[in-house]
């Protein structure tokens, strides 16, 4: 493995581990009836939510089996949960087996999102989600 793929794999593994630790910490805080901490630097500085605000709460709703509640809070939570369930294990598999499947997928997704016909609607959806999050008062 070369050309930056090994670094990408380790970054994905580290962020996956951090995501699982954050999720476990959030679940423990809820079970002990403590309020979730707001760690969004964007929201702290500017006073309104970033496009990803509510993702942790969305994942926690998924964890509790509340699919609709998860969608209402932030649909990006579904993508984040899917990534958390797939990407770290795929990266670990590729590292152990000496494969590059995740890296190829990453490069193809990068090429795909750069196409204006596909990238612009994606950006518009993220912006619409952001406006919706602001309107909901996340």
């Amino acid at each position: 493995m070369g050309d930056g793929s090994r670094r990408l794999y380790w970054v994905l593994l580290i962020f996956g581990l951090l995501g699982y630790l954050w999720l476990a910490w959030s679940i423990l805080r809820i079970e002990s009836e403590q309020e979730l901490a707001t760690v969004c630097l964007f929201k702290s500085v500017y006073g309104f939510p970033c496009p990803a605000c509510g993702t942790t709460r969305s994942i926690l709703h998924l964890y509790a089996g509340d699919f609709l509640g998860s969608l209402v809070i932030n649909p990006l939570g579904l993508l984040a949960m899917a990534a958390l369930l797939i990407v770290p294990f795929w990266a670990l598999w590729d590292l152990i087996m000496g494969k590059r499947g995740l890296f190829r997928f990453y490069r193809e997704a990068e090429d795909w999102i750069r196409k204006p016909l596909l990238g612009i609607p994606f950006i518009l959806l993220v912006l619409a989600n952001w406006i919706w999050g602001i309107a909901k008062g996340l």
Side-chain angles (χ1 to χ4, degrees):
M1 267 189 215
D3 66 359
S5 61
R6 184 171 291 277
R7 188 176 345 176
L8 174 68
Y9 280 77
W10 284 109
V11 166
L12 292 173
L13 285 171
I14 290 167
F15 276 103
L17 177 62
L18 291 173
Y20 279 113
L21 290 173
W22 176 255
L23 186 57
W25 184 74
S26 298
I27 290 168
L28 291 173
R29 288 185 62 86
I30 287 176
E31 289 176 356
S32 66
E33 297 181 11
Q34 296 176 352
E35 190 172 319
L36 283 175
T38 301
V39 295
C40 180
L41 181 61
F42 188 93
K43 187 173 183 178
S44 298
V45 171
Y46 296 107
F48 58 92
C50 73
C53 274
T55 300
T56 300
R57 286 173 279 171
S58 177
I59 290 173
L60 291 172
H61 277 266
L62 283 174
Y63 173 77
D66 182 10
F67 183 79
L68 187 58
S70 173
L71 277 175
V72 169
I73 289 176
N74 191 338
L76 294 176
L78 294 171
L79 294 174
M81 188 64 182
L84 198 55
L85 290 172
I86 295 168
V87 172
F89 299 104
W90 192 356
L92 194 57
W93 173 262
D94 277 0
L95 281 172
I96 291 169
M97 302 304 286
K99 301 203 181 262
R100 296 169 43 99
L102 179 58
F103 187 70
R104 280 193 299 274
F105 175 80
Y106 172 81
R107 296 299 290 248
E108 288 176 21
E110 194 175 47
D111 290 341
W112 180 82
I113 202 73
R114 286 182 180 171
K115 295 178 182 174
L117 188 60
L118 302 170
I120 291 172
F122 177 77
I123 291 169
L124 291 175
L125 284 171
V126 170
L127 286 173
N129 183 57
W130 190 12
I131 292 166
W132 185 40
I134 293 169
K136 289 185 300 189
L138 283 178

